Short mmCIF file of all heavy atoms in Angstrom, two decimals:
data_model
loop_
_atom_site.label_atom_id
_atom_site.label_comp_id
_atom_site.label_asym_id
_atom_site.label_seq_id
_atom_site.Cartn_x
_atom_site.Cartn_y
_atom_site.Cartn_z
N SER Y 1 0.88 -1.19 -0.05
CA SER Y 1 -0.01 -0.02 0.03
C SER Y 1 0.86 1.25 0.01
O SER Y 1 2.07 1.17 0.29
CB SER Y 1 -0.98 -0.05 1.25
OG SER Y 1 -1.85 1.09 1.17
N TRP Y 2 0.33 2.41 -0.34
CA TRP Y 2 1.02 3.62 -0.37
C TRP Y 2 0.58 4.49 0.81
O TRP Y 2 -0.58 4.41 1.19
CB TRP Y 2 0.69 4.31 -1.67
CG TRP Y 2 1.54 3.87 -2.82
CD1 TRP Y 2 2.58 4.49 -3.37
CD2 TRP Y 2 1.35 2.63 -3.69
NE1 TRP Y 2 3.10 3.74 -4.50
CE2 TRP Y 2 2.35 2.57 -4.65
CE3 TRP Y 2 0.34 1.68 -3.52
CZ2 TRP Y 2 2.33 1.59 -5.55
CZ3 TRP Y 2 0.45 0.62 -4.50
CH2 TRP Y 2 1.42 0.49 -5.37
N ASP Y 3 1.50 5.17 1.30
CA ASP Y 3 1.25 6.07 2.44
C ASP Y 3 1.59 7.51 2.12
O ASP Y 3 2.38 7.76 1.19
CB ASP Y 3 2.12 5.57 3.68
CG ASP Y 3 1.77 6.35 4.93
OD1 ASP Y 3 0.68 6.16 5.53
OD2 ASP Y 3 2.62 7.23 5.34
N ILE Y 4 1.03 8.47 2.83
CA ILE Y 4 1.25 9.91 2.54
C ILE Y 4 2.76 10.23 2.70
O ILE Y 4 3.22 11.06 2.07
CB ILE Y 4 0.32 10.81 3.40
CG1 ILE Y 4 0.44 12.27 2.96
CG2 ILE Y 4 0.80 10.58 4.88
CD1 ILE Y 4 -0.08 12.56 1.62
N SER Y 5 3.41 9.43 3.58
CA SER Y 5 4.87 9.66 3.79
C SER Y 5 5.64 9.33 2.50
O SER Y 5 6.69 10.02 2.38
CB SER Y 5 5.37 8.99 4.97
OG SER Y 5 5.23 7.60 4.67
N PHE Y 6 5.21 8.44 1.69
CA PHE Y 6 5.85 8.19 0.42
C PHE Y 6 5.92 9.31 -0.44
O PHE Y 6 6.98 9.79 -1.05
CB PHE Y 6 5.24 6.93 -0.38
CG PHE Y 6 5.20 5.70 0.44
CD1 PHE Y 6 4.60 4.60 -0.05
CD2 PHE Y 6 5.75 5.62 1.74
CE1 PHE Y 6 4.55 3.45 0.54
CE2 PHE Y 6 5.71 4.44 2.44
CZ PHE Y 6 5.18 3.29 1.89
N PHE Y 7 4.82 9.98 -0.62
CA PHE Y 7 4.64 11.12 -1.47
C PHE Y 7 5.50 12.33 -0.81
O PHE Y 7 6.03 13.11 -1.51
CB PHE Y 7 3.32 11.65 -1.66
CG PHE Y 7 2.38 10.57 -2.29
CD1 PHE Y 7 1.69 9.64 -1.72
CD2 PHE Y 7 2.43 10.41 -3.79
CE1 PHE Y 7 0.96 8.57 -2.32
CE2 PHE Y 7 1.66 9.58 -4.39
CZ PHE Y 7 0.99 8.60 -3.69
N ALA Y 8 5.52 12.34 0.48
CA ALA Y 8 6.28 13.49 1.11
C ALA Y 8 7.78 13.34 0.85
O ALA Y 8 8.49 14.20 0.74
CB ALA Y 8 5.99 13.36 2.63
N VAL Y 9 8.26 12.06 0.97
CA VAL Y 9 9.67 11.79 0.68
C VAL Y 9 10.06 12.16 -0.79
O VAL Y 9 11.08 12.71 -1.07
CB VAL Y 9 10.00 10.29 0.98
CG1 VAL Y 9 11.41 9.92 0.42
CG2 VAL Y 9 9.94 10.05 2.48
N ALA Y 10 9.24 11.69 -1.76
CA ALA Y 10 9.37 12.06 -3.11
C ALA Y 10 9.40 13.55 -3.30
O ALA Y 10 10.25 14.12 -4.01
CB ALA Y 10 8.36 11.39 -4.00
N GLY Y 11 8.39 14.26 -2.72
CA GLY Y 11 8.34 15.73 -2.77
C GLY Y 11 9.54 16.33 -2.13
O GLY Y 11 10.09 17.39 -2.65
N LEU Y 12 10.17 15.77 -1.15
CA LEU Y 12 11.27 16.40 -0.42
C LEU Y 12 12.52 16.21 -1.35
O LEU Y 12 13.26 17.16 -1.47
CB LEU Y 12 11.52 15.53 0.86
CG LEU Y 12 12.76 15.98 1.60
CD1 LEU Y 12 12.65 17.40 2.10
CD2 LEU Y 12 12.98 14.98 2.85
N MET Y 13 12.63 15.18 -2.10
CA MET Y 13 13.66 14.96 -3.11
C MET Y 13 13.54 16.06 -4.12
O MET Y 13 14.52 16.75 -4.37
CB MET Y 13 13.57 13.66 -3.75
CG MET Y 13 14.01 12.43 -2.88
SD MET Y 13 15.77 12.40 -2.58
CE MET Y 13 15.93 10.91 -1.55
N VAL Y 14 12.36 16.28 -4.68
CA VAL Y 14 12.23 17.24 -5.77
C VAL Y 14 12.45 18.71 -5.26
O VAL Y 14 13.20 19.48 -5.84
CB VAL Y 14 10.79 17.08 -6.38
CG1 VAL Y 14 10.56 18.23 -7.39
CG2 VAL Y 14 10.65 15.73 -7.11
N VAL Y 15 11.78 19.04 -4.13
CA VAL Y 15 11.89 20.36 -3.55
C VAL Y 15 13.32 20.65 -3.20
O VAL Y 15 13.84 21.82 -3.43
CB VAL Y 15 10.93 20.49 -2.29
CG1 VAL Y 15 11.35 21.87 -1.65
CG2 VAL Y 15 9.46 20.49 -2.74
N SER Y 16 14.01 19.69 -2.61
CA SER Y 16 15.39 19.90 -2.23
C SER Y 16 16.30 20.20 -3.43
O SER Y 16 17.25 21.04 -3.41
CB SER Y 16 15.93 18.71 -1.40
OG SER Y 16 15.25 18.60 -0.17
N SER Y 17 16.08 19.49 -4.42
CA SER Y 17 16.83 19.50 -5.71
C SER Y 17 16.56 20.96 -6.28
O SER Y 17 17.59 21.66 -6.73
CB SER Y 17 16.48 18.37 -6.72
OG SER Y 17 17.28 18.55 -7.83
N VAL Y 18 15.32 21.29 -6.39
CA VAL Y 18 15.02 22.55 -7.01
C VAL Y 18 15.52 23.70 -6.11
O VAL Y 18 16.03 24.70 -6.70
CB VAL Y 18 13.43 22.69 -7.10
CG1 VAL Y 18 13.00 24.10 -7.60
CG2 VAL Y 18 13.00 21.63 -8.19
N LEU Y 19 15.38 23.52 -4.87
CA LEU Y 19 15.81 24.66 -3.93
C LEU Y 19 17.32 24.84 -4.05
O LEU Y 19 17.79 26.04 -4.08
CB LEU Y 19 15.41 24.33 -2.54
CG LEU Y 19 15.77 25.44 -1.42
CD1 LEU Y 19 15.00 26.60 -1.72
CD2 LEU Y 19 15.37 24.87 0.03
N ILE Y 20 18.06 23.86 -3.97
CA ILE Y 20 19.51 23.93 -4.01
C ILE Y 20 20.00 24.56 -5.41
O ILE Y 20 20.95 25.25 -5.58
CB ILE Y 20 20.28 22.66 -3.70
CG1 ILE Y 20 21.74 22.88 -3.42
CG2 ILE Y 20 20.15 21.71 -4.80
CD1 ILE Y 20 21.96 23.77 -2.08
N SER Y 21 19.16 24.08 -6.41
CA SER Y 21 19.52 24.62 -7.80
C SER Y 21 19.27 26.06 -7.81
O SER Y 21 20.09 26.85 -8.27
CB SER Y 21 18.58 23.91 -8.74
OG SER Y 21 18.82 22.70 -8.85
N TYR Y 22 18.16 26.49 -7.18
CA TYR Y 22 17.85 27.98 -7.21
C TYR Y 22 18.88 28.71 -6.41
O TYR Y 22 19.42 29.81 -6.90
CB TYR Y 22 16.48 28.16 -6.48
CG TYR Y 22 16.10 29.67 -6.27
CD1 TYR Y 22 15.62 30.39 -7.29
CD2 TYR Y 22 16.33 30.24 -5.05
CE1 TYR Y 22 15.36 31.69 -7.17
CE2 TYR Y 22 15.99 31.54 -4.87
CZ TYR Y 22 15.54 32.31 -5.86
OH TYR Y 22 15.19 33.62 -5.67
N ILE Y 23 19.25 28.29 -5.27
CA ILE Y 23 20.35 28.91 -4.39
C ILE Y 23 21.63 29.04 -5.13
O ILE Y 23 22.25 30.11 -5.21
CB ILE Y 23 20.63 28.25 -3.01
CG1 ILE Y 23 19.22 28.40 -2.14
CG2 ILE Y 23 21.67 28.84 -2.32
CD1 ILE Y 23 19.22 27.49 -0.99
N SER Y 24 22.03 27.97 -5.81
CA SER Y 24 23.31 27.93 -6.52
C SER Y 24 23.28 28.86 -7.74
O SER Y 24 24.17 29.71 -7.81
CB SER Y 24 23.62 26.46 -7.03
OG SER Y 24 23.70 25.63 -5.88
N VAL Y 25 22.21 28.88 -8.47
CA VAL Y 25 22.20 29.62 -9.75
C VAL Y 25 21.94 31.15 -9.41
O VAL Y 25 22.47 32.01 -10.08
CB VAL Y 25 21.26 29.10 -10.84
CG1 VAL Y 25 19.77 29.33 -10.31
CG2 VAL Y 25 21.39 29.70 -12.09
N LYS Y 26 21.22 31.37 -8.41
CA LYS Y 26 20.87 32.78 -8.04
C LYS Y 26 22.13 33.47 -7.51
O LYS Y 26 22.39 34.57 -7.94
CB LYS Y 26 19.90 32.72 -6.88
CG LYS Y 26 19.43 34.11 -6.42
CD LYS Y 26 18.47 34.68 -7.50
CE LYS Y 26 17.74 35.90 -6.86
NZ LYS Y 26 18.57 37.00 -6.45
N GLY Y 27 23.01 32.76 -6.82
CA GLY Y 27 24.27 33.32 -6.40
C GLY Y 27 25.18 33.74 -7.45
O GLY Y 27 25.85 34.79 -7.38
N ILE Y 28 25.19 32.92 -8.58
CA ILE Y 28 26.02 33.19 -9.70
C ILE Y 28 25.33 34.27 -10.65
O ILE Y 28 25.96 35.19 -11.04
CB ILE Y 28 26.27 31.92 -10.49
CG1 ILE Y 28 26.94 30.85 -9.61
CG2 ILE Y 28 27.00 32.18 -11.80
CD1 ILE Y 28 27.12 29.54 -10.36
#
C-alpha cells in the first residue's frame, strides 16, 4: 500500500533539488 509519507519523501527529493538549484544559480 502507499502512504502519504511516500509522497512526502518524493516531494522532499524534488523540492530539495529545486531549492539547491535555485540557491546555486541565484548566487551566480
Side-chain angles (χ1 to χ4, degrees):
S1 187
W2 280 257
D3 185 73
I4 189 65
S5 62
F6 299 178
F7 298 94
V9 169
L12 181 63
M13 288 287 182
V14 176
V15 170
S16 298
S17 179
V18 171
L19 183 61
I20 197 65
S21 300
Y22 175 79
I23 294 173
S24 300
V25 73
K26 185 72 166 58
I28 299 173

